Amino acid sequence: MPELPDLQAFSHNLQKILAGKTVKKIEVPNAKKLNVSVHELNEVLSGQKLEKVYREGKELHIKFSKGNVLGLHLMLHGKLFLFDTKNDNKYSIIELHFDDGSGLVLTDFQGIAMPTLNPEKKDVPDALDADAEYLRKRLAKTKTNIKTVLLDQKIMRGVGNAYADEILWHARISPFSVSSKIPEAKLKDLVKAIKSVLEDAEKNILKSNPDIINGEVRDFMDIHNSKKKHSPTGAAIIINEASRKTYYTDEQELFE
């Protein structure tokens, strides 16, 4: 599943390519996840100019000239592609056709990627905005392990499995630590790691794939990386084969 840095990179490139284009029509080959009818979607968005593409949590949002927003949640396997005149990609969910003949399509072979017209605003902070005070108050309420908390989009939006492992290694906190037992000094390390890991990841993705609008780039990762056996400091990387793979080392302090 694309995570925050991936979506940041996608939105950066889509903004450059699509800003200023006017919607001619929208086709929805797979409308089972759409929150309105295809007719209503076209009534609202056709003729509007695309103003901005940006990320919200784990979604991409496309804002149009009258203030309407089209949210795109890629889920596990959703991919975005550009096309000219005709979309030839398989497993299309939604196609945006612009008046200059260009287009953007969201595909998903599982058929579960989700387009939403005017998605509701969420009051859960984005991972890049969550500060130590917020985490201190929020983590005090749960005994769940810290990795599970980082993945909970109702607590903090944007982080997925791979980046949770990277963040916790950089903060030197074991993914199995009890959330409410983590001391305040370590929470400051966690907040610092969240921002540095996610922001550096976006830079690495765009550096190696400057035109990227789909897929996942993970080869630069320090810990959640199947090609690496040791951390940058030399500790062996351990892989916990639970319901989701967790990569960590014995350098990370366990609080319980």
Side-chain angles (χ1 to χ4, degrees):
M1 175 183 288
E3 297 185 35
L4 187 153
D6 306 302
L7 295 171
Q8 286 280 104
F10 300 168
S11 64
H12 172 82
N13 287 326
L14 290 171
Q15 171 70 17
K16 290 192 300 181
I17 296 167
L18 301 179
K21 292 180 181 284
T22 299
V23 177
K24 181 180 180 181
K25 64 177 180 178
I26 299 177
E27 295 183 1
V28 191
N30 184 342
K32 64 182 181 181
K33 295 291 185 177
L34 183 63
N35 66 328
V36 296
S37 69
V38 177
H39 175 75
E40 181 179 347
L41 187 67
N42 272 282
E43 282 286 304
V44 172
L45 296 183
S46 293
Q48 288 201 53
K49 184 177 291 186
L50 190 152
E51 287 194 342
K52 187 178 181 180
V53 183
Y54 59 99
R55 178 193 60 80
E56 277 286 337
K58 285 189 176 182
E59 297 182 5
L60 285 178
H61 283 191
I62 303 174
K63 185 178 179 181
F64 297 90
S65 51
K66 294 182 181 178
N68 298 106
V69 173
L70 178 65
L72 300 176
H73 197 309
L74 278 56
M75 304 301 285
L76 283 173
H77 300 291
K79 290 187 175 182
L80 295 161
F81 297 95
L82 299 167
F83 62 87
D84 289 319
T85 309
K86 182 182 178 182
N87 169 43
D88 292 322
N89 294 283
K90 295 181 179 179
Y91 312 115
S92 298
I93 301 292
I94 185 169
E95 304 171 10
L96 278 70
H97 294 257
F98 301 103
D99 62 1
D100 64 354
S102 65
L104 174 71
V105 59
L106 169 62
T107 71
D108 183 3
F109 72 86
Q110 287 188 319
I112 59 174
M114 187 182 305
T116 305
L117 179 63
N118 295 324
E120 294 182 5
K121 292 184 178 181
K122 296 180 174 64
D123 57 6
V124 177
D126 187 81
L128 293 175
D129 298 325
D131 59 21
E133 180 62 15
Y134 170 78
L135 286 177
R136 183 186 65 78
K137 291 179 178 179
R138 193 62 185 80
L139 298 187
K141 301 176 182 179
T142 178
K143 295 181 179 179
T144 308
N145 72 62
I146 186 60
K147 180 172 180 179
T148 298
V149 171
L150 292 183
L151 297 178
D152 190 339
Q153 301 304 297
K154 294 180 180 179
I155 295 177
M156 186 177 71
R157 295 180 294 138
V159 177
N161 191 52
Y163 284 102
D165 288 345
E166 291 292 298
I167 288 165
L168 289 169
W169 183 80
H170 280 270
R172 298 299 195 272
I173 299 172
S174 168
F176 310 108
S177 294
V178 177
S179 301
S180 59
K181 299 295 184 180
I182 299 174
E184 191 164 347
K186 270 296 179 182
L187 289 182
K188 292 179 180 179
D189 292 340
L190 179 60
V191 170
K192 183 178 178 181
I194 289 171
K195 293 186 177 182
S196 62
V197 166
L198 298 177
E199 290 175 351
D200 288 348
E202 181 188 355
K203 293 175 184 176
N204 279 313
I205 292 168
L206 288 171
K207 182 178 180 180
S208 61
N209 297 265
D211 300 318
I212 190 170
I213 62 167
N214 61 50
E216 299 172 8
V217 181
R218 299 284 187 264
D219 55 359
F220 59 85
M221 286 188 153
D222 292 326
I223 297 300
H224 195 102
N225 190 328
S226 61
K227 295 181 180 179
K228 293 184 178 180
K229 302 299 181 184
H230 295 86
S231 77
T233 56
I237 295 174
I238 305 164
I239 303 175
N240 183 286
E241 300 274 0
S243 58
R244 55 175 179 261
K245 281 189 177 182
T246 294
Y247 291 63
Y248 66 104
T249 75
D250 59 10
E251 303 162 292
Q252 296 166 246
E253 193 169 357
L254 177 63
F255 301 98
E256 56 184 354

